[in-house]
């Protein structure tokens, strides 16, 4: 009788990972980070807790891994050939993910939790904030190269200027971005960025 060679570590099945990811996002959106638990995620995903622990050692790592993959994967640097076009595309992208049914609930909760938890704040910055900003940076670097922005433009500040109004309007004020809002915002951002 031949013996099967041990296969080593368990193979992580993509379908199970996908079910867990969906369960994490649903649980977080419904319950908040504070009440998010590995047990509830496993139950919702229809898997044992061991399936989660094979992927992540803790709730924080699970939550941040899932949300960063979801948020960073949706970020890209548009290249329409003009700063105006790129800004408008960036704003469209930002509005789309900030009004996503899950993200519109998770993002404010994540920011509130990060204010109370310095480790979570650091992980949020490293896994979400910095990668999203790096993906948008080429928009401003190309605009500088094309002469649409002054060579000394503060790209870090420019990145803040794009995200802040949309976040403030939707999350802090709770006001919808109605028709024409993004066009008006694009015009104002261009005027501010091109001011010499």
């Amino acid at each position: 009788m031949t013996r099967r060679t041990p296969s080593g570590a368990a193979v992580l099945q993509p379908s199970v990972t996908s079910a867990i990811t969906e369960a994490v996002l649903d649980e977080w959106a419904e319950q908040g980070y504070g009440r998010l638990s590995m047990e509830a995620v496993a139950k919702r995903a229809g898997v044992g807790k061991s399936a989660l622990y094979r992927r992540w050692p803790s709730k924080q790592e699970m939550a941040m891994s899932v949300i960063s993959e979801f948020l960073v994967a949706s970020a890209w640097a548009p290249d329409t050939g003009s700063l105006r076009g790129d800004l408008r595309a960036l704003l469209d992208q930002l509005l789309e993910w900030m009004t996503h049914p899950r993200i519109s609930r998770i993002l404010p909760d994540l920011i509130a939790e990060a204010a109370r938890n310095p480790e979570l704040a650091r992980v949020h910055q490293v896994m979400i904030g910095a990668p999203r900003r790096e993906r948008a940076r080429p928009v401003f670097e190309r605009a500088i190269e094309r002469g649409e922005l002054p060579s000394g433009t503060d790209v870090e500040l420019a990145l803040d200027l794009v995200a802040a109004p949309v976040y403030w309007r939707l999350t802090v004020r709770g006001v919808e971005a109605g028709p024409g809002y993004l066009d008006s915002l694009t015009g104002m951002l261009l005027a501010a960025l091109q001011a010499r």
Side-chain angles (χ1 to χ4, degrees), residues 118-129:
E119 175 59 17
L120 186 63
R122 186 193 66 74
V123 173
H124 169 239
Q125 175 55 29
V126 169
M127 293 181 71
I128 300 171

Side-chain angles (χ1 to χ4, degrees), residues 15-36:
S15 60
V16 173
T17 302
S18 178
I20 294 170
T21 297
E22 293 298 309
V24 170
L25 293 170
D26 286 338
E27 278 293 312
W28 194 346
E30 290 174 19
Q31 303 298 326
Y33 181 82
R35 294 179 60 198
L36 180 69

Side-chain angles (χ1 to χ4, degrees), residues 159-177:
L159 289 163
D160 288 346
L161 285 174
V162 172
V166 179
Y167 175 81
W168 186 263
R169 184 179 186 93
L170 297 177
T171 305
V172 178
R173 292 185 58 216
V175 177
E176 287 185 15

Side-chain angles (χ1 to χ4, degrees), residues 9 35 40 47 77 97 112 114 125 132 141 150 160 171-172 179 181 190 195:
R35 294 179 60 198
V47 300
W97 73 261
Q125 175 55 29
R132 282 191 64 90
E141 292 171 346
D160 288 346
T171 305
V172 178
Y181 173 72
L190 266 177

Side-chain angles (χ1 to χ4, degrees), residues 6 28 51 72 85 91 93-94 102 135-137 140 182-184:
W28 194 346
V72 175
L91 289 170
Q93 178 190 136
L94 188 63
R102 290 168 170 160
R135 288 196 176 193
R137 182 177 296 279
F140 301 101
L182 293 185
D183 288 329
S184 298

Side-chain angles (χ1 to χ4, degrees), residues 4-76:
R4 191 170 68 83
T5 310
S7 59
V11 176
L12 300 181
Q13 298 174 358
S15 60
V16 173
T17 302
S18 178
I20 294 170
T21 297
E22 293 298 309
V24 170
L25 293 170
D26 286 338
E27 278 293 312
W28 194 346
E30 290 174 19
Q31 303 298 326
Y33 181 82
R35 294 179 60 198
L36 180 69
S37 72
M38 303 283 273
E39 292 81 6
V41 168
K43 183 176 179 183
R44 185 183 282 255
V47 300
K49 279 201 303 181
S50 61
L52 276 62
Y53 285 110
R54 278 196 295 274
R55 289 162 174 82
W56 308 284
S58 68
K59 168 182 130 173
Q60 179 173 295
E61 291 202 24
M62 174 187 72
M64 295 310 292
S65 175
V66 166
I67 198 67
S68 67
E69 186 174 313
F70 191 79
L71 293 179
V72 175
S74 67
W76 51 276

